[in-house]
Amino acid sequence: MTTVADAEFLPEAGHLKDNEELIDIRCFRELDGQPYLMEHSYYIKAIVDTIPEEALYGSLFNYFEQQRDVNIGFIDQLLMSEPLPEIAGEFMNLANGAPSLVVKDETYLTTGKMLAFSKQYYDYRRARLFMVKKIR
């Protein structure tokens, strides 16, 4: 088990205790048979407890809402560029430290408690993001 103190990155809203336990998950995704994205996520163990392997092959958020009675409230996202970590570079066949488009997420429950935080590293050669902004 990973703790906040051992995490490779932290959420922008750093209100977690150093000894808080996290579930560490890395997902490697392809687009048209080509490496496209590596997502590195940390889930708050006190909320999630465990994640069965079969849940990793679909939407974890859907799994949490259906199986765990966890209600996702909102996700804060930050778009930035950052060098690829070695594991993502190997997956994408890019040099360690190559440029990457990064989406940093912080997911919160309807209660305002943080559920998870992640970084999604996109292969800059294939990255295209579509954004929708809702205006009330």
Side-chain angles (χ1 to χ4, degrees):
M1 198 56 51
T2 301
T3 64
V4 169
D6 299 325
E8 291 183 21
F9 59 91
L10 296 172
E12 296 291 316
H15 56 272
L16 300 172
K17 295 178 183 170
D18 284 350
N19 63 349
E20 191 155 5
E21 291 183 325
L22 305 169
I23 298 173
D24 185 347
I25 295 179
R26 292 179 198 207
C27 295
F28 298 87
R29 302 188 191 280
E30 293 183 345
L31 178 66
D32 298 328
Q34 297 294 315
Y36 174 65
L37 160 75
M38 184 200 83
E39 181 177 358
H40 188 180
S41 302
Y42 293 103
Y43 294 85
I44 310 299
K45 186 168 180 3
I47 297 171
V48 175
D49 189 39
T50 61
I51 300 173
E53 185 176 345
E54 61 270 9
L56 297 174
Y57 298 101
S59 167
L60 280 178
F61 292 157
N62 286 343
Y63 167 78
F64 294 145
E65 288 184 334
Q66 293 172 1
Q67 304 296 320
R68 301 289 177 121
D69 197 28
V70 171
N71 297 309
I72 312 270
F74 60 96
I75 301 173
D76 288 342
Q77 293 185 312
L78 177 66
L79 278 74
M80 57 193 180
S81 61
E82 193 173 282
L84 277 175
E86 185 175 358
I87 191 169
E90 288 175 5
F91 172 65
M92 295 177 193
N93 299 312
L94 290 168
N96 182 25
S100 176
L101 176 62
V102 177
V103 177
K104 193 172 182 180
D105 287 348
E106 295 177 11
T107 304
Y108 295 88
L109 303 173
T110 53
T111 62
K113 282 186 156 184
M114 180 177 283
L115 169 67
F117 55 99
S118 68
K119 278 188 175 181
Q120 300 163 27
Y121 297 90
Y122 288 86
D123 184 332
Y124 74 91
R125 300 168 297 185
R126 295 177 183 86
R128 264 183 76 174
L129 301 177
F130 175 78
M131 298 174 68
V132 175
K133 194 177 245 186
K134 185 176 180 180
I135 308 294
R136 295 181 204 230

